């Protein structure tokens, strides 16, 4: 196991892929084209703004009461929340046998889980 906090950095520095690709060359080309056009600023700004978000949300009630679906990847290096239902008491959790990029790795299973959940919560 890598030292704490180094797993993502070690993956980024790997000289060769550590597994099978999760998307085809044509799918990858869509992302490359988008990032060549707009850069990665939009995706990284959420992390850059964490302190500001903390202040903006300081007085917001932290408990989400609405029915919610959380889909986890069993192989994700980001661990499952141990206290999810403390903050989202009406969360239904689905776990799929994949990593972090759930919708790319398991698109059919992801869609089925979402559609099933929506059908169950259709009012």
């Amino acid at each position: 196991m890598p030292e704490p906090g180094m797993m993502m950095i070690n993956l980024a520095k790997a000289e060769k892929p550590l597994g099978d690709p999760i998307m085809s060359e044509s799918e990858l080309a869509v992302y490359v084209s988008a990032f060549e056009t707009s850069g990665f600023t939009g995706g990284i700004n959420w992390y850059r703004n964490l302190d500001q978000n903390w202040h903006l949300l300081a007085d917001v009630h932290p408990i989400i009461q609405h029915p919610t679906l959380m889909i986890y990847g069993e192989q994700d290096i980001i661990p499952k929340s141990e206290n999810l239902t403390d903050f989202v008491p009406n969360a239904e959790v689905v776990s799929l046998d994949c990593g972090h990029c759930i919708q790319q790795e398991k698109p059919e299973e992801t869609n089925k889980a979402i559609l099933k959940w929506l059908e169950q919560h259709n009012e």
Side-chain angles (χ1 to χ4, degrees), residues 72-76 94-99 102 105-106 109:
Y72 282 111
E74 285 292 326
Q75 308 305 317
D76 195 340
V94 171
S95 293
L96 300 177
D97 185 23
C98 60
I102 296 167
E105 295 178 55
K106 297 285 184 176
E109 294 89 336

Side-chain angles (χ1 to χ4, degrees), residues 79-116:
K80 292 180 181 180
S81 172
E82 294 181 10
N83 61 345
L84 174 66
T85 56
D86 291 347
F87 297 96
V88 191
N90 296 307
E92 180 178 331
V93 175
V94 171
S95 293
L96 300 177
D97 185 23
C98 60
H100 187 71
C101 300
I102 296 167
Q103 64 275 27
Q104 282 85 16
E105 295 178 55
K106 297 285 184 176
E108 291 179 30
E109 294 89 336
T110 301
N111 285 338
K112 284 180 185 177
I114 293 169
L115 291 171
K116 179 182 176 186

Side-chain angles (χ1 to χ4, degrees), residues 20-120:
D20 295 329
I22 61 170
M23 63 181 77
S24 69
E25 288 296 321
S26 63
E27 291 168 329
L28 179 61
V30 171
Y31 287 92
V32 170
S33 174
F35 289 130
E36 286 175 343
T37 301
S38 64
F40 196 62
T41 302
I44 202 74
N45 277 347
W46 186 85
Y47 297 98
R48 290 180 176 152
N49 201 49
L50 281 176
D51 289 341
Q52 180 66 22
N53 286 343
W54 179 264
H55 293 290
L56 289 171
L57 298 172
D59 297 325
V60 173
H61 185 65
I63 308 301
I64 298 170
Q65 296 294 340
H66 297 286
T68 307
L69 174 64
M70 178 64 190
I71 304 176
Y72 282 111
E74 285 292 326
Q75 308 305 317
D76 195 340
I77 62 169
I78 308 298
K80 292 180 181 180
S81 172
E82 294 181 10
N83 61 345
L84 174 66
T85 56
D86 291 347
F87 297 96
V88 191
N90 296 307
E92 180 178 331
V93 175
V94 171
S95 293
L96 300 177
D97 185 23
C98 60
H100 187 71
C101 300
I102 296 167
Q103 64 275 27
Q104 282 85 16
E105 295 178 55
K106 297 285 184 176
E108 291 179 30
E109 294 89 336
T110 301
N111 285 338
K112 284 180 185 177
I114 293 169
L115 291 171
K116 179 182 176 186
W117 186 86
L118 288 170
E119 187 176 293
Q120 291 171 345

